[in-house]
């Protein structure tokens, strides 16, 4: 994605790419896991081990979905806001 952004030469795209690449995958996964835990807790009361397992599954699935859709990020919101939504949706499916 970064090479595409640099080739396009659009300064707005370049700025977005900096925001996206500022996250490493561990930080991104931690954000997704936090969002998934929140959504599962909000939707239903589960034993800790079960909730943690579902949150981890949701975060992993959200990471895969997010990486697939990374080129569709338009920069109309912060990257973290956009990414957070993936985890909320995945956790909602698993709840």
């Amino acid at each position: 994605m970064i090479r595409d952004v640099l080739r396009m030469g659009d300064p707005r795209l370049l700025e977005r790419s900096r925001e996206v690449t500022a996250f490493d995958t561990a930080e991104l996964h931690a954000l997704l896991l936090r969002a998934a835990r929140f959504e599962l807790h909000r939707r239903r009361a589960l034993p800790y081990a079960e909730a943690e397992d579902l949150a981890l599954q949701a975060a992993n699935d959200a990471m895969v979905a997010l990486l697939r859709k990374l080129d569709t990020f338009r920069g109309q919101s912060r990257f973290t806001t956009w990414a957070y939504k993936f985890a909320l949706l995945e956790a909602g499916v698993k709840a």
Side-chain angles (χ1 to χ4, degrees):
M1 176 180 170
I2 294 172
R3 278 187 230 140
D4 296 335
V5 169
L6 293 174
R7 257 185 266 145
M8 291 176 177
D10 184 342
R12 292 171 301 178
L13 292 175
L14 182 57
E15 187 59 36
R16 281 199 317 235
S17 74
R18 285 185 186 126
E19 184 178 356
V20 169
T21 56
F23 270 102
D24 71 350
T25 54
E27 288 176 309
L28 182 56
H29 192 268
L31 172 78
L32 298 174
L33 185 56
R34 190 167 54 246
R37 285 176 180 145
F38 168 79
E39 187 65 10
L40 286 168
H41 177 70
R42 190 182 73 77
R43 288 181 177 245
R44 52 191 274 215
L46 295 168
Y48 177 79
E50 186 178 343
E52 192 62 21
D53 183 50
L54 286 176
L56 188 57
Q57 288 176 31
N60 291 342
D61 292 348
M63 179 72 111
V64 170
L66 186 147
L67 292 174
R68 267 195 211 125
K69 297 283 189 172
L70 194 56
D71 61 336
T72 66
F73 176 61
R74 295 178 295 185
Q76 293 178 332
S77 64
R78 287 186 341 205
F79 178 73
T80 53
T81 304
W82 184 75
Y84 202 86
K85 189 68 173 178
F86 281 85
L88 294 180
L89 294 172
E90 288 293 338
V93 169
K94 297 189 182 321

